[in-house]
Amino acid sequence: GAVVSQHPSWVICKSGTSVKIECRSLDFQATTMFWYRQFPKQSLMLMATSNEGSKATYEQGVEKDKFLINHASLTLSTLTVTSAHPEDSSFYICSARSEGTRTFYNEQFFGPGTRLTVL
Amino acid sequence: DAKTTQPTSMDCAEGRAANLPCNHSTISGNEYVYWYRQIHSQGPQYIIHGLKNNETNEMASLIITEDRKSSTLILPHATLRDTAVYYCIVRHATGNQFYFGTGTSLTVIP
């Protein structure tokens, strides 16, 4: 149990276009999901906390108008990188916090990541 | 959440125990110690977590010092597939976010 998926696993897009990345909790409900970004040879950087049914909370320095987050259901959060530029090329990882299950209460499970390359 | 300090890199011979240290000297009483690892180009994988008692599961053991200012993750018989970056993270019991440090890059050598 406690599986998180991401789609797509990799994407290449042209500069100026928008890209949507999906994060799904497959076998549990998650009112809270998180989005991270990771540049090569660096650690994961938390971008935002995604709350089901409400606005996301962004970390300092992350542009909320550029990285749009929607958490419309208990199993799906999306991250849209708007007007992508080459400097947005990165590995984007989501995680979901399990709630309401005895075994994995308040634990976070990570997706496999999405590799974004902006040309 | 308290900050953690880990060595940048370590090597371990295949089949031997890998002992990965983590310092968290400012940890508070309600904060847990979590360990995750990240194999290249994958999402982080949960390993183990604990509050003050030593913990063991099928993947690893976690030894937390009595003063809780440091801990050690032990992989009892390292294999080549254990080569990864290992992250030690401290988080409040009811906390939300995980903030990752730089982690330890473990290389298991044949």
Side-chain angles (χ1 to χ4, degrees), chain A residues 32 34 36 38 42-46 49 51 57 59 91 93 97 106-113 115, chain B residues 34 36 38 40-46 49 87 91-103:
Chain A
T32 309
F34 306 88
Y36 296 82
Q38 185 176 32
Q42 294 187 23
S43 185
L44 286 79
M45 185 194 79
L46 180 66
T49 300
N51 303 297
T57 305
E59 295 294 306
F91 193 49
I93 305 169
R97 190 179 79 170
N106 200 31
E107 299 308 332
Q108 276 193 40
F109 299 92
F110 288 80
R115 177 78 56 192
Chain B
Y34 286 80
Y36 280 79
Q38 186 180 28
H40 182 63
S41 294
Q42 297 182 25
Q45 176 190 24
Y46 167 81
H49 76 283
Y87 296 99
R91 192 190 72 174
H92 192 274
T94 57
N96 223 0
Q97 294 86 351
F98 278 121
Y99 293 98
F100 285 76
T102 54

Side-chain angles (χ1 to χ4, degrees), chain B residues 63 78 89 109:
Chain B
I63 308 299
I89 306 166
I109 302 170

Side-chain angles (χ1 to χ4, degrees), chain A residues 25-81:
Chain A
S25 56
L26 297 185
D27 49 6
F28 65 98
Q29 293 184 334
T31 58
T32 309
M33 292 184 174
F34 306 88
W35 288 96
Y36 296 82
R37 180 169 54 180
Q38 185 176 32
F39 293 110
K41 298 188 185 298
Q42 294 187 23
S43 185
L44 286 79
M45 185 194 79
L46 180 66
M47 299 174 66
T49 300
S50 171
N51 303 297
E52 188 267 335
S54 65
K55 292 183 179 180
T57 305
Y58 291 82
E59 295 294 306
Q60 191 173 9
V62 177
E63 300 175 60
K64 61 180 181 180
D65 294 330
K66 181 168 184 62
F67 299 100
L68 301 179
I69 291 172
N70 183 276
H71 194 156
S73 78
L74 289 173
T75 59
L76 174 64
S77 175
T78 60
L79 169 69
T80 301
V81 183

